[in-house]
Amino acid sequence: KQWYQRRVAITAGLIKNNKYQDKITVINGMIEEVELPEEVDTIVSEPMGYMLYNERMLETYIYARKWLKKGGKMFPSTGTLYLAPFSDESLFQEVCNKANFWYQTFFYGVDLSNLREEAYTEYFKQPIVDTFDPRHLVAKPIKHTTNFMTDTEDSLRDIHIDFTFYPHSAAQVHGIAFWFDVAFEGSQKTVHLSTSPSEPLTHWYQVRCLIGTPLFARPGQPIIGSVTLTSNKRQSYDVKLKMHLAGSSETITNLLDLKNPYFRYTGSVPVPPGNQTTSPSDNYWENITTSATRQCFI
């Protein structure tokens, strides 16, 4: 509570110092509890978390829409989650090696081996927050869009996404990668903020969810499955990943805890994203598809 009061005081001081106190009013309180004197023309917020939905601030953002005038604007206006299968043997072995520590039968006289299976499960429950070269992706992504202007809070409690991917080359599939774009739909143009691996890095990075048993996919062999995000009381989601190869009866599943990720990124300082007027994710994959088509006719 003291932290919130201090934040309000700092904001009010900044407004006064810039002589906007007759134009800007600071209201201290949760959006679910405050009462506004009138409806508003625009709602501006930064409600996105890792993999777009983590922290569950989007539900509060949508709730705030009750104060929006008819025809008003919300910035951002939509959020689009992209997902695609990836192949990264180095990452897979890194996580396996962490679990293999518990194979030891004489660690300072202690036998740890009975904990290895549990440790393996725990490490693979952690989504990987880092960035990666988009060439690790083995198929064109699919996307799931949330419209902040029209979707309901309830629609974000349980999110189910079915997928079918078609690998562009033979590859060991180690899991599913996620990133998102948000669109700011103005009166004259739309601007996109992208967390795509093909774009300058942001503090949201990308997220990868591993599976414990890799799948070997042939070129064009459908990878079929689903991702289900189930909200929990820890301001996050449980992520259930299920997938199999067409023609195979073996289904691989994994249940991950989005609240407890493995922060792996240790690279350079993030670069501010550019001002794209079209979706960078769509542009990147359209170019990849066009290039592949041209090669077929050479």
Side-chain angles (χ1 to χ4, degrees), residues 171-186:
Q172 285 267 31
V173 177
H174 295 105
I176 302 294
F178 300 83
W179 65 92
F180 66 87
D181 291 0
V182 289
F184 298 77
E185 299 176 359

Side-chain angles (χ1 to χ4, degrees), residues 140-179:
K140 183 177 179 179
I142 65 165
K143 55 186 179 180
H144 175 83
T145 298
T146 298
N147 189 325
F148 306 134
M149 296 287 294
T150 59
D151 286 351
T152 64
E153 295 173 68
D154 286 343
S155 69
L156 299 181
R157 306 270 161 76
D158 293 282
I159 303 166
H160 183 81
I161 307 170
D162 291 314
F163 60 72
T164 301
F165 297 112
Y166 300 91
H168 49 67
S169 61
Q172 285 267 31
V173 177
H174 295 105
I176 302 294
F178 300 83
W179 65 92

